[in-house]
Amino acid sequence: MSIKTNLQAFKNLLPEHVKLVVVSKTQSPEAIMQAYNAGQRIFGESRAQEITPKYDMLPKDIEWHMIGHLQTNKVKYIASFIALIHSVDSLKLLKEINKHAVKNNRIIPCLLQIHIATESSKFGLTFEESCQLLDSDSYKQMENIVIHGLMGMASFTDNTQQVHKEFSELKNYFGLIKQRYFAQQSYFKELSMGMSDDYRIGIEHGSTMVRVGSAIFGTR
Ligand SMILES: *Cc1c(COP(=O)(O)O)cnc(C)c1O
């Protein structure tokens, strides 16, 4: 199957309110252009060093999303163009994003990444840590970032009950944080959850954005 066919078939499965982030990490510019020519404009990458050359080379109406762990010393490479950072997992990182957003005279949209998986290797804040971040004075002083919602990755497991449990937990945190910190802010509305193997479960639990790579490009 071609990338175009996969993409169209996948889009037909998605409810209209769910945004598709096509994950293009490790994919060549040619492969990305096949998805682009089939109409896709939102692409997700997990390494800053990989996004920057792709941004330079590919059409400028692509919306690039950072979905992987971001080191503070890499923020400067993506700050001028990144459309959404899904993976904010510390106050220190958010400070750095704000600093570079100021330098570039723009507002950078962000999601807080919440740790919901059982594996300790997955990045993210606990619910309590996200509240601490949102309560901090330094967060309140940041004028060039906007938190649009939350992101989470479920455990890598065949146990779908476990995945249901984790996504339902994330949805619950989303509601609590919305109520406590963003009740009047209509921009706080995104819940980035679901990948090729678990996007259906993500959508069942209220995902507004799925990050899908291998279902479209084939296995990496
Ligand atoms: C690689 C990656 C994805 C996409 O995974 P697939 O299984 O290829 O759909 C989604 N989210 C993050 C954070 C990733 O690193």
Side-chain angles (χ1 to χ4, degrees):
M1 290 251 277
S2 73
I3 290 169
K4 182 180 177 180
T5 321
N6 288 348
L7 181 66
Q8 283 166 347
F10 193 85
K11 274 191 174 158
N12 287 336
L13 299 170
L14 283 188
E16 208 151 334
H17 67 278
V18 179
K19 258 186 225 156
L20 172 61
V21 178
V22 167
V23 175
S24 51
K25 62 186 182 201
T26 77
Q27 303 299 334
S28 66
E30 292 72 28
I32 296 173
M33 278 312 291
Q34 288 184 42
Y36 180 90
N37 289 331
Q40 182 64 25
R41 291 295 179 272
I42 308 178
F43 292 91
E45 289 278 339
S46 57
R47 293 169 69 239
Q49 306 93 293
E50 199 177 328
I51 303 192
T52 310
K54 286 176 174 172
Y55 166 76
D56 287 340
M57 188 183 310
L58 292 167
K60 289 297 173 283
D61 62 343
I62 290 180
E63 221 184 84
W64 292 101
H65 289 200
M66 178 67 192
I67 62 168
H69 180 63
L70 179 57
Q71 289 172 281
T72 50
N73 63 358
K74 301 285 170 21
V75 174
K76 57 177 178 285
Y77 300 121
I78 62 171
S80 68
F81 65 86
I82 201 77
L84 180 65
I85 300 177
H86 292 231
S87 45
V88 174
D89 57 4
S90 71
L91 181 60
K92 184 172 159 235
L93 175 61
L94 198 58
K95 276 184 196 165
E96 191 70 11
I97 295 169
N98 185 65
K99 186 176 106 185
H100 287 282
V102 171
K103 278 190 187 164
N104 285 279
N105 192 26
R106 61 184 296 250
I107 308 276
I108 300 185
C110 296
L111 305 178
L112 297 181
Q113 182 175 354
I114 310 293
H115 183 101
I116 49 171
T118 51
E119 296 107 347
S120 58
S121 62
K122 293 211 166 82
F123 292 98
L125 301 156
T126 63
F127 174 69
E128 290 72 23
E129 287 166 343
S130 349
C131 293
Q132 280 163 17
L133 185 157
L134 295 167
D135 281 324
S136 69
D137 287 334
S138 48
Y139 164 70
K140 289 174 193 160
Q141 285 160 13
M142 295 177 193
E143 294 189 338
N144 289 58
I145 54 97
V146 185
I147 310 278
H148 282 229
L150 305 180
M151 181 270 236
M153 285 173 89
S155 299
F156 183 69
T157 173
D158 291 335
N159 179 351
T160 56
Q161 283 319 307
Q162 179 66 24
V163 176
H164 273 282
K165 184 172 150 243
E166 292 170 359
F167 282 159
S168 135
E169 187 175 51
L170 184 57
K171 169 71 181 182
N172 184 33
Y173 293 159
F174 177 86
L176 292 171
I177 290 176
K178 168 90 188 152
Q179 189 179 33
R180 201 184 291 182
Y181 299 98
F182 299 98
Q184 311 300 325
Q185 277 82 27
S186 55
Y187 57 74
F188 188 91
K189 59 177 169 47
E190 304 295 355
L191 193 46
S192 168
M193 60 183 189
M195 319 195 337
S196 295
D197 289 337
D198 58 15
Y199 72 91
R200 287 184 199 85
I201 305 179
I203 291 168
E204 255 185 72
H205 291 281
S207 171
T208 64
M209 251 182 211
V210 291
R211 310 175 310 274
V212 177
S214 46
I216 287 156
F217 290 113
T219 46
R220 279 179 298 275

